[in-house]
Amino acid sequence: MACAGRSDRGVVLVMMLVLLAVMAMTAALASRLALTGVATSAGRQAHAQALAAAELALRYCEEQIGLASAVVPVQPAPDVDPEWPLRWQAADSWSGPVPLASPVPAALAWGNAAVPADAPVPQCLIEAMVLPRSRGADDRLGVWLVTARGFSPGHAPGGRGAEVWLQSVVQK
């Protein structure tokens, strides 16, 4: 009988070690899932902030069209194909030596909110377009393509944070 008791003790030890290993793996998986949830939540928050900034810039530029005291300049239709503006697609239009995009005034963008010093200001660009009124008609319709981009606080190009682009076509 003494032999049977000794082998039982060894089995119990092995089972306890296996149980301990399973519990450790379960705890590690739970921690990883929690961290993934936090990262996903932070990404969604950054996207929501960037989307709000882009919407603000889009509305700001749309309101500037046709104003006598407009601060945002309207870029003329390109010579290549006046029906399809190309300036919004060029990186230099947004951050080149002489960017064509206009920043939204900081007071309008952030109001009285405390904003980090590295928070980029939303930008917008207005381009004139010439579209036909109807198929086969000779007369043209003047419209504007408004492009806006907004950023989350702490955005770094090609790095952390979020960037959202929005466009609208305005006819006045």
Side-chain angles (χ1 to χ4, degrees):
M1 271 246 224
C3 288
R6 285 186 189 156
S7 67
D8 285 347
R9 278 191 250 163
V11 171
V12 171
L13 177 62
V14 171
M15 288 185 65
M16 290 307 292
L17 289 174
V18 169
L19 184 60
L20 182 63
V22 169
M23 289 174 56
M25 288 175 47
T26 303
L29 181 62
S31 295
R32 186 174 182 135
L33 288 174
L35 290 175
T36 302
V38 168
T40 302
S41 175
R44 287 183 180 175
Q45 180 183 9
H47 180 266
Q49 290 171 328
L51 180 61
E55 287 176 345
L56 175 77
L58 190 70
R59 300 298 167 244
Y60 173 73
C61 269
E62 288 173 347
E63 291 172 1
Q64 293 288 310
I65 295 174
L67 290 179
S69 61
V71 179
V72 178
V74 174
Q75 304 303 320
D79 297 332
V80 180
D81 184 358
E83 293 184 11
W84 296 105
L86 301 173
R87 289 180 180 85
W88 73 269
Q89 298 172 353
D92 285 349
S93 296
W94 299 94
S95 59
V98 182
L100 299 175
S102 299
V104 173
L108 179 63
W110 308 121
N112 295 330
V115 178
D118 63 345
V121 177
Q123 299 171 300
C124 59
L125 177 66
I126 304 172
E127 297 180 77
M129 294 174 64
V130 181
L131 299 176
R133 284 190 187 270
S134 62
R135 294 181 189 254
D138 289 337
D139 55 333
R140 301 277 183 168
L141 178 65
V143 296
W144 296 267
L145 175 66
V146 180
T147 306
R149 70 179 190 164
F151 311 96
S152 63
H155 174 267
R160 62 174 214 233
E163 179 177 341
V164 173
W165 291 66
L166 297 175
Q167 286 187 316
S168 68
V169 176
V170 177
Q171 176 188 355
K172 287 192 177 184

